[in-house]
Amino acid sequence: RLKIHEAEVLRDDGVGAKGDSPGLVRYENNMFLVGTKEGFLVLKTVQEEGKKAIPISDFARGHADFVKNVTAHRFLKTR
């Protein structure tokens, strides 16, 4: 499990910020993007179960296999 502590909203502005299917996770330009109905959430700080919260850049460095395989996978449950 991965808990999101801090994220930035990137709304669909009609110029390339079009959201993916809700819950679809991508890694682009050193950012984790979570698709929403109206754009993306750009993850900033996350926490793995049983660990402390860390910046997403530290998470990416420590989880190279996850980063490599994350493109176009649905990891988050949508409600």
Side-chain angles (χ1 to χ4, degrees), residues 7 16-17 19 23-24 27 29-30 36 46 48 60-61 68-69 71 77:
L24 193 70
Y27 186 71
N29 302 317
N30 296 318
T36 69
V46 295
E48 289 181 89
R61 275 193 294 279
K68 181 179 176 182
N69 294 313
T71 302
K77 295 180 183 176

Side-chain angles (χ1 to χ4, degrees), residues 21-71:
S21 299
L24 193 70
V25 179
R26 288 201 228 173
Y27 186 71
E28 291 182 3
N29 302 317
N30 296 318
M31 296 185 298
F32 280 96
L33 305 170
V34 181
T36 69
K37 184 178 175 183
E38 298 177 2
F40 294 99
L41 283 179
V42 181
L43 304 185
K44 299 290 185 181
T45 306
V46 295
Q47 179 181 7
E48 289 181 89
E49 194 168 18
K51 297 188 177 183
K52 67 178 185 170
I54 58 173
I56 197 68
S57 57
D58 291 348
F59 176 81
R61 275 193 294 279
H63 294 83
D65 289 341
F66 180 79
V67 172
K68 181 179 176 182
N69 294 313
V70 75
T71 302

Side-chain angles (χ1 to χ4, degrees), residues 10-19 38-40:
L10 181 61
R11 296 204 183 275
D12 179 4
D13 59 6
V15 187
K18 187 73 174 165
E38 298 177 2
F40 294 99

